[in-house]
PDB file of all heavy atoms in Angstrom:
ATOM      1  N   THR B1315     -19.357  24.627  -7.681  1.00  0.00           N
ATOM      2  CA  THR B1315     -20.304  25.105  -6.682  1.00  0.00           C
ATOM      3  C   THR B1315     -21.024  23.959  -5.988  1.00  0.00           C
ATOM      4  O   THR B1315     -21.673  23.137  -6.649  1.00  0.00           O
ATOM      5  CB  THR B1315     -21.336  26.036  -7.331  1.00  0.00           C
ATOM      6  OG1 THR B1315     -20.653  27.146  -7.928  1.00  0.00           O
ATOM      7  CG2 THR B1315     -22.320  26.551  -6.289  1.00  0.00           C
ATOM      8  N   GLY B1334     -20.682  22.900 -12.248  1.00  0.00           N
ATOM      9  CA  GLY B1334     -19.543  23.494 -12.928  1.00  0.00           C
ATOM     10  C   GLY B1334     -19.957  24.113 -14.238  1.00  0.00           C
ATOM     11  O   GLY B1334     -21.029  24.699 -14.337  1.00  0.00           O
ATOM     12  N   THR B1335     -19.094  23.964 -15.222  1.00  0.00           N
ATOM     13  CA  THR B1335     -19.342  24.534 -16.536  1.00  0.00           C
ATOM     14  C   THR B1335     -19.077  23.475 -17.610  1.00  0.00           C
ATOM     15  O   THR B1335     -18.680  22.346 -17.312  1.00  0.00           O
ATOM     16  CB  THR B1335     -18.423  25.731 -16.784  1.00  0.00           C
ATOM     17  OG1 THR B1335     -17.076  25.258 -16.913  1.00  0.00           O
ATOM     18  CG2 THR B1335     -18.494  26.745 -15.650  1.00  0.00           C
ATOM     19  N   ASP B1338     -15.557  21.886 -17.530  1.00  0.00           N
ATOM     20  CA  ASP B1338     -15.151  20.899 -16.531  1.00  0.00           C
ATOM     21  C   ASP B1338     -16.225  19.820 -16.379  1.00  0.00           C
ATOM     22  O   ASP B1338     -16.249  18.865 -17.156  1.00  0.00           O
ATOM     23  CB  ASP B1338     -14.796  21.559 -15.188  1.00  0.00           C
ATOM     24  CG  ASP B1338     -15.718  22.724 -14.817  1.00  0.00           C
ATOM     25  OD1 ASP B1338     -16.913  22.481 -14.623  1.00  0.00           O
ATOM     26  OD2 ASP B1338     -15.237  23.850 -14.709  1.00  0.00           O
ATOM     27  N   VAL B1345     -15.536  13.128 -13.010  1.00  0.00           N
ATOM     28  CA  VAL B1345     -15.879  13.776 -11.758  1.00  0.00           C
ATOM     29  C   VAL B1345     -15.609  12.795 -10.626  1.00  0.00           C
ATOM     30  O   VAL B1345     -15.946  11.610 -10.723  1.00  0.00           O
ATOM     31  CB  VAL B1345     -17.358  14.204 -11.713  1.00  0.00           C
ATOM     32  CG1 VAL B1345     -17.710  14.777 -10.342  1.00  0.00           C
ATOM     33  CG2 VAL B1345     -17.648  15.224 -12.818  1.00  0.00           C
ATOM     34  N   ALA B1355      -7.095  13.449   6.205  1.00  0.00           N
ATOM     35  CA  ALA B1355      -6.948  13.686   4.773  1.00  0.00           C
ATOM     36  C   ALA B1355      -8.204  13.224   4.047  1.00  0.00           C
ATOM     37  O   ALA B1355      -8.918  12.333   4.520  1.00  0.00           O
ATOM     38  CB  ALA B1355      -5.731  12.929   4.241  1.00  0.00           C
ATOM     39  N   PRO B1356      -8.493  13.825   2.917  1.00  0.00           N
ATOM     40  CA  PRO B1356      -9.639  13.374   2.117  1.00  0.00           C
ATOM     41  C   PRO B1356      -9.466  11.932   1.652  1.00  0.00           C
ATOM     42  O   PRO B1356      -8.343  11.435   1.525  1.00  0.00           O
ATOM     43  CB  PRO B1356      -9.633  14.338   0.924  1.00  0.00           C
ATOM     44  CG  PRO B1356      -8.940  15.557   1.431  1.00  0.00           C
ATOM     45  CD  PRO B1356      -7.877  15.036   2.347  1.00  0.00           C
ATOM     46  N   ILE B1360     -15.747   8.326  -5.018  1.00  0.00           N
ATOM     47  CA  ILE B1360     -16.344   8.109  -6.340  1.00  0.00           C
ATOM     48  C   ILE B1360     -15.380   8.665  -7.391  1.00  0.00           C
ATOM     49  O   ILE B1360     -14.782   9.726  -7.177  1.00  0.00           O
ATOM     50  CB  ILE B1360     -17.699   8.826  -6.480  1.00  0.00           C
ATOM     51  CG1 ILE B1360     -18.746   8.261  -5.519  1.00  0.00           C
ATOM     52  CG2 ILE B1360     -18.204   8.784  -7.936  1.00  0.00           C
ATOM     53  CD1 ILE B1360     -19.318   6.913  -5.934  1.00  0.00           C
ATOM     54  N   SER B1364     -19.438   7.904 -11.412  1.00  0.00           N
ATOM     55  CA  SER B1364     -20.284   6.956 -10.683  1.00  0.00           C
ATOM     56  C   SER B1364     -19.584   5.673 -10.237  1.00  0.00           C
ATOM     57  O   SER B1364     -20.255   4.762  -9.745  1.00  0.00           O
ATOM     58  CB  SER B1364     -21.483   6.579 -11.562  1.00  0.00           C
ATOM     59  OG  SER B1364     -21.048   5.983 -12.772  1.00  0.00           O
ATOM     60  N   ARG B1366     -17.132   3.377  -7.854  1.00  0.00           N
ATOM     61  CA  ARG B1366     -16.646   3.320  -6.480  1.00  0.00           C
ATOM     62  C   ARG B1366     -15.332   2.544  -6.414  1.00  0.00           C
ATOM     63  O   ARG B1366     -15.253   1.423  -6.945  1.00  0.00           O
ATOM     64  CB  ARG B1366     -17.650   2.634  -5.553  1.00  0.00           C
ATOM     65  CG  ARG B1366     -18.876   3.438  -5.211  1.00  0.00           C
ATOM     66  CD  ARG B1366     -19.739   2.667  -4.196  1.00  0.00           C
ATOM     67  NE  ARG B1366     -20.025   1.306  -4.655  1.00  0.00           N
ATOM     68  CZ  ARG B1366     -21.003   1.011  -5.473  1.00  0.00           C
ATOM     69  NH1 ARG B1366     -21.790   1.966  -5.942  1.00  0.00           N
ATOM     70  NH2 ARG B1366     -21.213  -0.254  -5.844  1.00  0.00           N
ATOM     71  N   PRO B1371     -18.552   1.660   0.433  1.00  0.00           N
ATOM     72  CA  PRO B1371     -19.889   1.034   0.478  1.00  0.00           C
ATOM     73  C   PRO B1371     -20.755   1.447  -0.703  1.00  0.00           C
ATOM     74  O   PRO B1371     -20.663   2.577  -1.199  1.00  0.00           O
ATOM     75  CB  PRO B1371     -20.466   1.563   1.793  1.00  0.00           C
ATOM     76  CG  PRO B1371     -19.290   1.964   2.612  1.00  0.00           C
ATOM     77  CD  PRO B1371     -18.265   2.445   1.652  1.00  0.00           C
ATOM     78  N   LYS B1378     -24.512  12.322 -13.042  1.00  0.00           N
ATOM     79  CA  LYS B1378     -24.250  13.625 -13.652  1.00  0.00           C
ATOM     80  C   LYS B1378     -25.313  13.922 -14.681  1.00  0.00           C
ATOM     81  O   LYS B1378     -25.761  13.037 -15.412  1.00  0.00           O
ATOM     82  CB  LYS B1378     -22.872  13.630 -14.318  1.00  0.00           C
ATOM     83  CG  LYS B1378     -22.372  15.015 -14.713  1.00  0.00           C
ATOM     84  CD  LYS B1378     -21.126  14.947 -15.585  1.00  0.00           C
ATOM     85  CE  LYS B1378     -21.498  14.784 -17.042  1.00  0.00           C
ATOM     86  NZ  LYS B1378     -20.363  15.057 -17.960  1.00  0.00           N
ATOM     87  N   SER B1379     -25.689  15.194 -14.738  1.00  0.00           N
ATOM     88  CA  SER B1379     -26.600  15.677 -15.768  1.00  0.00           C
ATOM     89  C   SER B1379     -26.148  17.066 -16.181  1.00  0.00           C
ATOM     90  O   SER B1379     -26.136  17.987 -15.359  1.00  0.00           O
ATOM     91  CB  SER B1379     -28.043  15.717 -15.257  1.00  0.00           C
ATOM     92  OG  SER B1379     -28.909  16.242 -16.244  1.00  0.00           O
ATOM     93  N   THR B1382     -23.964  19.579 -13.930  1.00  0.00           N
ATOM     94  CA  THR B1382     -24.112  19.283 -12.506  1.00  0.00           C
ATOM     95  C   THR B1382     -23.932  17.795 -12.214  1.00  0.00           C
ATOM     96  O   THR B1382     -24.595  16.958 -12.809  1.00  0.00           O
ATOM     97  CB  THR B1382     -25.483  19.740 -11.991  1.00  0.00           C
ATOM     98  OG1 THR B1382     -25.613  21.159 -12.155  1.00  0.00           O
ATOM     99  CG2 THR B1382     -25.643  19.406 -10.512  1.00  0.00           C
ATOM    100  N   ILE B1387     -26.002   9.603  -0.924  1.00  0.00           N
ATOM    101  CA  ILE B1387     -25.701   8.648   0.136  1.00  0.00           C
ATOM    102  C   ILE B1387     -27.028   8.122   0.654  1.00  0.00           C
ATOM    103  O   ILE B1387     -27.861   8.897   1.131  1.00  0.00           O
ATOM    104  CB  ILE B1387     -24.913   9.293   1.285  1.00  0.00           C
ATOM    105  CG1 ILE B1387     -23.681  10.029   0.747  1.00  0.00           C
ATOM    106  CG2 ILE B1387     -24.491   8.230   2.296  1.00  0.00           C
ATOM    107  CD1 ILE B1387     -22.922  10.818   1.812  1.00  0.00           C
ATOM    108  N   GLY B1389     -29.260   5.292   3.067  1.00  0.00           N
ATOM    109  CA  GLY B1389     -29.108   4.614   4.352  1.00  0.00           C
ATOM    110  C   GLY B1389     -28.081   5.300   5.235  1.00  0.00           C
ATOM    111  O   GLY B1389     -27.152   4.669   5.732  1.00  0.00           O
ATOM    112  N   GLU B1393     -21.456   7.609  10.856  1.00  0.00           N
ATOM    113  CA  GLU B1393     -20.064   7.719  10.391  1.00  0.00           C
ATOM    114  C   GLU B1393     -19.952   8.466   9.070  1.00  0.00           C
ATOM    115  O   GLU B1393     -18.847   8.821   8.646  1.00  0.00           O
ATOM    116  CB  GLU B1393     -19.463   6.331  10.226  1.00  0.00           C
ATOM    117  CG  GLU B1393     -20.073   5.497   9.105  1.00  0.00           C
ATOM    118  CD  GLU B1393     -20.040   4.014   9.370  1.00  0.00           C
ATOM    119  OE1 GLU B1393     -20.453   3.613  10.462  1.00  0.00           O
ATOM    120  OE2 GLU B1393     -19.609   3.266   8.468  1.00  0.00           O
ATOM    121  N   ASP B1394     -21.075   8.711   8.404  1.00  0.00           N
ATOM    122  CA  ASP B1394     -21.038   9.456   7.140  1.00  0.00           C
ATOM    123  C   ASP B1394     -20.908  10.956   7.371  1.00  0.00           C
ATOM    124  O   ASP B1394     -20.669  11.711   6.424  1.00  0.00           O
ATOM    125  CB  ASP B1394     -22.296   9.187   6.316  1.00  0.00           C
ATOM    126  CG  ASP B1394     -22.457   7.720   5.937  1.00  0.00           C
ATOM    127  OD1 ASP B1394     -21.430   7.026   5.819  1.00  0.00           O
ATOM    128  OD2 ASP B1394     -23.609   7.277   5.773  1.00  0.00           O
ATOM    129  N   GLU B1395     -21.093  11.389   8.612  1.00  0.00           N
ATOM    130  CA  GLU B1395     -20.976  12.816   8.906  1.00  0.00           C
ATOM    131  C   GLU B1395     -19.540  13.264   8.633  1.00  0.00           C
ATOM    132  O   GLU B1395     -18.586  12.778   9.245  1.00  0.00           O
ATOM    133  CB  GLU B1395     -21.361  13.102  10.356  1.00  0.00           C
ATOM    134  CG  GLU B1395     -21.349  14.584  10.699  1.00  0.00           C
ATOM    135  CD  GLU B1395     -22.119  14.905  11.964  1.00  0.00           C
ATOM    136  OE1 GLU B1395     -23.346  14.702  11.987  1.00  0.00           O
ATOM    137  OE2 GLU B1395     -21.465  15.363  12.928  1.00  0.00           O
ATOM    138  N   CYS B1400     -16.375  17.638  -4.330  1.00  0.00           N
ATOM    139  CA  CYS B1400     -16.347  17.114  -5.683  1.00  0.00           C
ATOM    140  C   CYS B1400     -15.103  17.662  -6.376  1.00  0.00           C
ATOM    141  O   CYS B1400     -14.491  18.634  -5.926  1.00  0.00           O
ATOM    142  CB  CYS B1400     -17.589  17.486  -6.472  1.00  0.00           C
ATOM    143  SG  CYS B1400     -17.865  19.266  -6.709  1.00  0.00           S
ATOM    144  N   GLY B1413     -16.275  23.699  -3.481  1.00  0.00           N
ATOM    145  CA  GLY B1413     -16.049  24.397  -2.234  1.00  0.00           C
ATOM    146  C   GLY B1413     -16.305  23.557  -0.986  1.00  0.00           C
ATOM    147  O   GLY B1413     -15.935  23.965   0.118  1.00  0.00           O
ATOM    148  N   LYS B1416     -20.748  20.335   4.051  1.00  0.00           N
ATOM    149  CA  LYS B1416     -20.731  19.701   5.371  1.00  0.00           C
ATOM    150  C   LYS B1416     -22.010  18.887   5.541  1.00  0.00           C
ATOM    151  O   LYS B1416     -23.120  19.440   5.481  1.00  0.00           O
ATOM    152  CB  LYS B1416     -20.621  20.739   6.480  1.00  0.00           C
ATOM    153  CG  LYS B1416     -20.591  20.133   7.888  1.00  0.00           C
ATOM    154  CD  LYS B1416     -20.422  21.197   8.931  1.00  0.00           C
ATOM    155  CE  LYS B1416     -20.381  20.607  10.337  1.00  0.00           C
ATOM    156  NZ  LYS B1416     -19.259  19.653  10.495  1.00  0.00           N
ATOM    157  N   VAL B1419     -25.404  14.394  10.180  1.00  0.00           N
ATOM    158  CA  VAL B1419     -26.354  13.301  10.404  1.00  0.00           C
ATOM    159  C   VAL B1419     -27.088  13.600  11.713  1.00  0.00           C
ATOM    160  O   VAL B1419     -26.471  13.627  12.783  1.00  0.00           O
ATOM    161  CB  VAL B1419     -25.649  11.940  10.448  1.00  0.00           C
ATOM    162  CG1 VAL B1419     -26.666  10.826  10.696  1.00  0.00           C
ATOM    163  CG2 VAL B1419     -24.897  11.695   9.149  1.00  0.00           C
TER     164      VAL B1419
END
Side-chain angles (χ1 to χ4, degrees):
Chain B
T1315 301
T1335 69
D1338 39 64
V1345 175
I1360 296 284
S1364 60
R1366 287 184 308 276
K1378 193 190 86 165
S1379 177
T1382 299
I1387 308 174
E1393 67 210 50
D1394 299 332
E1395 184 162 296
C1400 61
K1416 180 178 180 60
V1419 179

